[in-house]
Amino acid sequence: MTAIGAVDIGGTKIAVGIVDGDGHLLTRVEAASREAEAYGDGLILITKMLRESMRETGAVITGIGIGSTGPVDPFTGLFGDLDFLPQWSGENLVVDLERAFHLPVALETMPMQRRFAESAWGAGRNKSHLLYVTIGTGIGGGIILGGQLYRGVDGAHPEIGHQVIDTAGPPCSCGFSGCWESLAAGPAMVRWMESQPEYVAGGELTAKRICEFARSGDALAQQTIARETCYLGIGLANLVNLFTPDAIILSGSVMKSAELFLDGIRNVMRQGCRFVPLERAELMLASLGEDANLIGAARVWHERFTREGKYVCPST
């Protein structure tokens, strides 16, 4: 069986798996990130988990794809300053795994690996003009145009969460006030609800709890949901007006309660997308769940290399 080794490096755990050519995760093994605090220990751990996964599945891997939280350079393979693994700064897992396995290795940031997974093997399959939007602690996303990931100068990804929606809105670390993330990410829901005079404190408030309160009939929580729906719809309408996609995939922790938002989002978008073919933009939810990171790490390899194993420049 021919497959790709997949490595997912996160703040609390490192996961390794084997993904077949159809995007199916064949096996998964995890270890706590604290076991890899020293880079040398991490390299040994990842190498061991990959070899064990290959033995378990009987797979012969043709390459390795890596997705990582934090600043990484997909062009050079270098790790930046990772808060959760500070000793990895300046190290190059791509080079070291290539040396260990004598196979081509590709690296991408964690958000991009999810986008690759959904566009190729998930909800966005067969869509050539695709927006992937994740709404959770922040708002981020990726843009697929003509079947290719859009990158800007120096390979930078657009910061769609920092489009300005309301200049009178709350300040954001990006330098502006009233950007989409400051108005519609999960923490923004919490800040707004807590700021209302009728709010009565009762334990830690989260976006998840707000959604639970709204389902149970709490009027202030339902107001918060309505406000969130409006801002999500405006931001998505802006993206549709700019990129005229054939699909928008929504993911992230806030979208775990998508049934509270989707109808309202569609209504808002219809108000502001009168001059573009909005009816062609299918609004859908990410479909790969908890396996998306490992499946996406494997897809990173496919996106980077051709079937013949020749390198494809990430900027093309």
Side-chain angles (χ1 to χ4, degrees):
M1 179 190 303
T2 300
I4 301 298
V7 180
D8 177 43
I9 300 168
T12 59
K13 66 178 182 295
I14 293 174
V16 166
I18 303 293
V19 179
D20 71 15
D22 295 317
H24 300 126
L25 182 64
L26 305 178
T27 186
R28 176 191 189 103
V29 61
E30 296 180 0
S33 296
R34 64 177 178 272
E35 296 182 35
E37 288 181 353
Y39 175 73
D41 292 341
L43 177 61
I44 292 170
L45 177 66
I46 291 168
T47 301
K48 178 182 177 182
M49 289 195 295
L50 279 168
R51 296 194 189 283
E52 289 176 349
S53 297
M54 291 165 63
R55 281 196 296 270
E56 179 181 338
T57 60
V60 177
I61 62 173
T62 56
I64 299 168
I66 308 167
S68 177
T69 301
V72 298
D73 188 329
F75 297 92
T76 65
L78 288 172
F79 283 82
D81 294 327
L82 303 184
D83 292 340
F84 57 95
L85 290 172
Q87 295 182 50
W88 286 45
S89 177
E91 300 290 354
N92 196 317
L93 187 60
V94 170
V95 170
D96 290 332
L97 289 181
E98 284 178 343
R99 184 181 296 119
F101 289 88
H102 306 289
L103 294 170
V105 179
L107 168 72
E108 260 293 357
T109 61
M110 185 274 288
M112 293 313 303
Q113 72 195 85
R114 281 182 169 264
R115 294 161 206 163
F116 283 141
E118 290 289 347
S119 64
W121 290 321
R125 186 192 295 260
N126 300 322
K127 302 294 185 181
S128 59
H129 299 282
L130 172 70
L131 303 179
Y132 180 94
V133 181
T134 181
I135 304 147
T137 305
I139 296 180
I143 300 166
I144 306 288
L145 297 177
Q148 300 294 318
L149 174 69
Y150 173 78
R151 296 181 193 260
V153 65
D154 292 334
H157 304 297
E159 289 287 349
I160 64 172
H162 295 289
Q163 55 169 308
V164 174
I165 305 294
D166 179 1
T167 57
C172 179
S173 59
C174 71
F176 277 123
S177 293
C179 69
W180 198 20
E181 182 171 290
S182 73
L183 290 165
M189 296 173 63
V190 173
R191 284 193 300 269
W192 187 83
M193 186 164 168
E194 289 179 334
S195 72
Q196 301 309 296
E198 62 267 46
Y199 174 67
V200 178
E204 181 184 5
L205 187 64
T206 63
K208 179 181 178 180
R209 291 193 70 196
I210 292 171
C211 293
E212 292 170 352
F213 293 152
R215 290 190 189 96
S216 66
D218 182 275
L220 181 57
Q222 290 175 342
Q223 277 185 263
T224 307
I225 295 297
R227 179 181 182 273
E228 172 76 359
T229 298
C230 179
Y231 282 129
L232 288 177
I234 292 171
L236 290 171
N238 288 343
L239 294 176
V240 170
N241 281 325
L242 284 170
F243 297 105
T244 58
D246 53 8
I248 303 169
I249 297 177
L250 301 177
S251 71
S253 56
V254 172
M255 285 297 103
K256 290 181 178 179
S257 297
E259 78 282 358
L260 297 175
F261 303 102
L262 288 182
D263 287 344
I265 287 172
R266 292 187 178 100
N267 288 335
V268 173
M269 293 174 71
R270 277 192 286 269
Q271 294 178 45
C273 295
R274 298 178 182 179
F275 306 126
V276 294
L278 176 63
E279 69 280 358
R280 296 286 303 280
E282 187 177 356
L283 194 63
M284 59 182 72
L285 299 177
S287 63
L288 296 176
E290 297 303 315
D291 292 336
N293 280 6
L294 281 175
I295 294 172
R299 189 64 203 178
V300 165
W301 188 92
H302 286 283
E303 294 288 332
R304 194 69 55 80
F305 295 97
T306 67
R307 293 180 185 275
E308 292 76 29
K310 296 179 181 178
Y311 188 74
V312 177
C313 179
S315 62
T316 59

